Amino acid sequence: MPSPSMTLFHSPSSPFVRKVMVLLHETGQLDRVALEQVQLSPTSPSEAVNAQNPAGKIPALRLADGSVLHDSRVILDYLDQQHVGDPLIPLQGPARWRRLSLASLADAILDAAVLIRYESFLRPPDKRWELWQEGQQAKIERALQQFENEAIAELACHFDIAAIGVACALGYLDFRQPESNWRQRYPQLADWYAEVSQRPSMQATQPPA
Ligand code: BEZ
C-alpha cells in the first residue's frame, strides 16, 4: 500500500473534520491521508495548526508539495477532484448550486451549534448571553425546518456533499445538544438520518462517546 501523501489536521470531535473523513470514506481515499491529531479551542489554540492555517482552524490539509488547504468546503472540493468515481459535488449546472447551497445551510447549523458550544462550555457563566444563544439556536431550527419541509427527497436521492453536510450536522447536534430532541420536531429528517447514520462512513467517524 502506498504511504499517504497528504496530512489532515484532525480532531474526532470536530464536525467539520468529520465531513472530510466521511468524504474520504465514501470516495475510497482514506489511505491517501495521514491524520495528525490536534486539540484546540478558541481559548487554547494549537501551535501546530496555527503554523499551517493562520486562522487556527481545522480541518487543514497539507498536500504532498507542502501547500495547505483549509476550510472544510475547500478541502472537500479538492478531494472530490482526486478520485475517479462519481463526483459528490456536481460539476456544473443548477444541481451544483443547489447541492452546494444545501451544504452551506448544513454548515450554518454547524457554525451556530459550535458557537453555542463555546458559549456554554468555554465562556465563564457570568459572561454568557442568553439572547445571543437563543439567536444561534433559532438559526439551527430554521435550517432544520427548511430541510424537513423542502429538501428531504433531495437528501434521500444521493449521499453527496449536501447529504454529508446535513448528516454531520445532525450527528453534531446529538453529540453536543443531546437534550435538543430534534427528532420530535423533524420526523422526516429523523427517519432519513436513522438510515444514513448506518453507512460505514458515518459509523467509522462517530464523535467520541
Ligand atoms: C467540539 O468539540 O465541539 C469541536 C471541536 C473542534 C471544532 C469544533 C467543535
Side-chain angles (χ1 to χ4, degrees):
M1 191 189 290
S3 58
S5 59
M6 299 178 268
T7 301
L8 180 68
F9 290 80
H10 179 278
S11 160
S13 59
S14 163
F16 299 101
V17 168
R18 187 179 191 192
K19 290 194 302 169
V20 174
M21 293 302 297
V22 171
L23 183 133
L24 287 172
H25 275 267
E26 294 285 340
T27 59
Q29 299 188 79
L30 273 181
D31 59 354
R32 304 184 60 209
V33 177
L35 303 185
E36 183 159 332
Q37 298 299 333
V38 293
Q39 281 196 320
L40 79 180
S41 75
T43 53
S44 172
S46 154
E47 285 310 315
V49 173
N50 288 352
Q52 306 294 330
N53 174 8
K57 290 180 171 179
I58 52 172
L61 182 72
R62 193 170 57 226
L63 307 184
D65 67 1
S67 60
V68 178
L69 304 181
H70 43 79
D71 186 278
S72 61
R73 297 181 210 205
V74 176
I75 295 171
L76 290 170
D77 198 351
Y78 175 81
L79 290 172
D80 198 37
Q81 294 184 28
Q82 307 304 311
H83 66 98
V84 292
D86 287 343
L88 298 188
I89 305 174
L91 296 176
Q92 58 197 6
R96 176 174 174 81
W97 310 119
R98 175 63 177 165
R99 304 308 285 197
L100 285 174
S101 292
L102 293 174
S104 168
L105 190 58
D107 278 353
I109 293 176
L110 283 180
D111 288 337
V114 168
L115 288 174
I116 290 171
R117 166 73 181 163
Y118 289 155
E119 181 79 7
S120 58
F121 181 72
L122 287 180
R123 195 182 289 276
D126 62 319
K127 297 195 167 57
R128 289 179 194 157
W129 187 8
E130 205 172 313
L131 190 61
W132 185 88
Q133 283 199 50
E134 286 169 10
Q136 298 303 329
Q137 192 63 42
K139 269 190 230 182
I140 294 173
E141 302 300 330
R142 286 195 301 271
L144 292 174
Q145 193 71 65
Q146 170 113 356
F147 286 127
E148 174 81 5
N149 292 349
E150 292 178 27
I152 280 294
E154 290 169 277
L155 292 177
C157 76
H158 191 193
F159 197 70
D160 69 348
I161 189 74
I164 289 172
V166 177
C168 290
L170 295 174
Y172 189 72
L173 293 181
D174 280 350
F175 179 45
R176 291 303 190 202
Q177 300 191 1
E179 73 296 341
S180 94
N181 232 352
W182 62 266
R183 285 174 177 78
Q184 252 178 13
R185 295 188 298 286
Y186 313 108
Q188 298 193 93
L189 265 185
D191 287 348
W192 172 79
Y193 183 67
E195 192 177 323
V196 297
S197 59
Q198 295 308 311
R199 294 178 77 90
S201 62
M202 292 294 293
Q203 288 284 313
T205 59
Q206 287 186 53

